[in-house]
């Protein structure tokens, strides 16, 4: 099958590319490399041969539509996005430009190319807003109340997908992802608390936890998330499906789990809570189980151990820095 992965040089996208190539699909990657990198595609380039083509391109450009029409992918996995909630608060126009208008370029290309289906990386951590604890883990039937421009732009795309299905018979599946973690996640960003913890623990630096550390998230391992994408290529049409474990994990528990794996017994440094963060989050993935046949199978201990191992290897062979390191934040991010 001919596939396209927007954001395919990113953390989740590149892991999906590896999976699609392993299954024998042809893959076109579209990525402007703004936060992703070709290094993430090194294994794919070695293994993929002519099945992999990389296009360095901004999805906001008209060229994106033309490329899709030329390449005619049967399935587009749409992951390219402005992913930072804080950037979306500071620059909501930029967020909407990439996440809404850029997506419309992709959808217009898909419509013109006769693409069968778009599988979209939606955000389970922001879609539902602050959920009453009695409703956790949250189901897809829960009202959607995103509290950030990022959450709004991701929700808007789901509405566009439903409209394109009606208007143009373009099938879709929107995966409402929990906090995805795993190797290749950027430890310099704001969202990837597992990557940030791993880098600090391996380098022997102190980890700062904001607030009381009892804020919870649903952490899902990247290979499990990618498995949901692969399944959604043929199943779950016209649906939003949560992709999470249903388990709430606090930042304190996450730190304890990872510190034990890394062999560190130091306590984290405490800092004042950051305003605007969700208190609790967990996703009920019952629909994904029924509709996609999907279940998470990686425990937090195994998944975080894989990240720490990956971080050790990465730091043993230093790569050139893509950008100056940002403040190591230990807030859990949005998901
Ligand atoms: N990581 C998570 O926990 C999580 C949770 C919910 C949803 N998501 C969504 O999953 C997708 C992938 O996230 P990720 O964590 O792998 O982030 P990432 O930053 O590693 O991947 C995003 C990719 O999109 C590319 N990109 C950004 N703007 C682009 C543009 N204008 N044109 C072309 N390419 C562009 C980046 O270079 C990057 O490679 C995103 O849509 C994100 O919103 C992620």
């Amino acid at each position: 099958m001919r596939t396209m992965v927007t954001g395919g040089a990113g953390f989740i996208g590149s892991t999906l590319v590896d999976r699609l190539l392993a299954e024998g699909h042809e893959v076109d990657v579209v990525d402007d490399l703004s936060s992703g990198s070709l290094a993430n595609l090194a294994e794919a380039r070695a293994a993929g041969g002519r099945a992999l083509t990389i296009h360095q391109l901004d999805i906001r450009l008209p060229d994106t539509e033309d490329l899709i029409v030329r390449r005619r992918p049967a399935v587009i996995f749409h992951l390219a996005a402005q992913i930072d909630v804080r950037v979306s608060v500071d620059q909501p126009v930029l967020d909407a430009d990439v996440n809404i208008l850029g997506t419309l370029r992709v959808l217009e290309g898909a419509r013109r190319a006769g693409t069968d289906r778009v599988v979209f990386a939606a955000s389970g951590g922001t879609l539902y807003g602050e959920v009453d604890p009695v409703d956790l883990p949250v189901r897809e039937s829960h009202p959607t109340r995103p509290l950030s421009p990022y959450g709004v732009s991701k929700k808007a795309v789901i509405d566009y997908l439903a409209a394109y299905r009606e208007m143009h018979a373009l099938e879709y599946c929107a995966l409402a992802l929990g906090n995805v973690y795993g190797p290749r996640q950027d430890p310099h960003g704001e969202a990837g608390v597992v990557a940030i913890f791993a880098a600090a623990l391996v380098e022997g630096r102190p980890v700062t936890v904001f607030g009381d550390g009892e804020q919870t998230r649903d952490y899902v391992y990247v290979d499990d998330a990618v498995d949901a994408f692969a399944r959604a290529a043929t199943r779950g049409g016209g649906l939003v499906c949560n992709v999470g474990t249903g388990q709430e994990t606090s930042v304190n528990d996450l730190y304890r789990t990872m510190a034990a794996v890394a062999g560190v017994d130091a306590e984290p440094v405490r800092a004042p809570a950051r305003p605007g963060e969700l208190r609790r989050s967990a996703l009920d993935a019952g629909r994904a189980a029924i509709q996609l046949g999907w279940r998470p199978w990686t425990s937090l201990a195994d998944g975080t151990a894989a990240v720490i191992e990956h971080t050790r290897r990465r730091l043993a062979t230093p790569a050139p820095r893509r950008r100056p390191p940002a403040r190591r934040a230990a807030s859990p991010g949005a998901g």
Side-chain angles (χ1 to χ4, degrees), residues 10-69:
F11 156 51
I12 304 172
S14 64
T15 313
L16 174 60
V17 170
D18 290 342
R19 163 85 180 243
L20 294 170
L21 290 172
E23 288 181 352
H25 301 297
E26 289 174 77
V27 183
D28 280 306
V29 167
V30 175
D31 200 302
D32 68 352
L33 303 182
S34 53
S35 65
S37 83
L38 289 178
N40 286 337
L41 290 167
E43 287 163 40
R45 290 163 93 184
R50 286 173 32 187
L52 173 68
T53 313
I54 301 170
H55 310 269
Q56 185 172 350
L57 184 60
D58 187 326
I59 55 165
R60 292 171 288 183
L61 296 175
D63 292 0
T64 299
E65 268 185 65
D66 299 336
L67 177 72
I68 296 170
V69 171

Side-chain angles (χ1 to χ4, degrees), residues 51-252:
L52 173 68
T53 313
I54 301 170
H55 310 269
Q56 185 172 350
L57 184 60
D58 187 326
I59 55 165
R60 292 171 288 183
L61 296 175
D63 292 0
T64 299
E65 268 185 65
D66 299 336
L67 177 72
I68 296 170
V69 171
R70 239 183 11 259
R71 304 294 290 179
R72 297 202 174 279
V75 176
I76 299 177
F77 299 92
H78 179 41
L79 288 85
Q82 187 303 110
I83 67 157
D84 192 320
V85 172
R86 275 161 206 278
V87 168
S88 83
V89 173
D90 292 343
Q91 302 179 63
V93 175
L94 170 73
D95 181 83
D97 195 23
V98 177
N99 290 359
I100 299 181
L101 296 181
T103 296
L104 284 173
R105 288 278 179 215
V106 173
L107 295 187
E108 277 301 282
R111 175 180 70 77
R112 288 173 50 205
T115 292
D116 296 330
R117 176 180 290 238
V118 174
V119 180
F120 174 57
S123 165
T126 61
L127 183 61
Y128 307 105
E130 193 72 66
V131 173
D132 188 323
V134 299
D135 291 331
L136 290 174
V138 65
R139 291 194 180 155
E140 296 85 349
S141 54
H142 191 278
T144 51
R145 296 192 209 101
L147 296 171
S148 63
Y150 169 80
V152 171
S153 67
K154 286 281 174 179
K155 177 185 170 186
V157 168
I158 296 174
D159 291 341
Y160 276 113
L161 287 166
Y164 268 70
R165 186 176 193 250
E166 286 297 315
M167 294 186 305
H168 307 302
L170 174 61
E171 190 54 279
Y172 77 90
C173 181
L175 300 176
L177 306 171
N179 279 50
V180 184
Y181 72 96
R184 296 185 191 157
Q185 191 167 28
D186 182 1
H188 304 118
E190 287 278 333
V193 63
V194 172
I196 293 166
F197 278 5
L201 288 166
V202 169
E203 288 175 347
R205 286 184 285 106
V207 166
T208 304
V209 169
F210 291 93
D212 65 4
E214 287 304 306
Q215 59 273 48
T216 66
R217 296 292 183 272
D218 189 332
Y219 294 97
V220 60
Y221 191 62
V222 65
D223 288 354
D224 296 357
V226 159
D227 184 54
F229 277 93
R231 289 167 183 274
T234 52
R235 301 172 70 172
L239 292 175
V240 176
C241 292
N242 286 341
V243 172
T245 64
Q247 302 289 321
E248 286 183 76
T249 302
S250 71
V251 174
N252 290 331

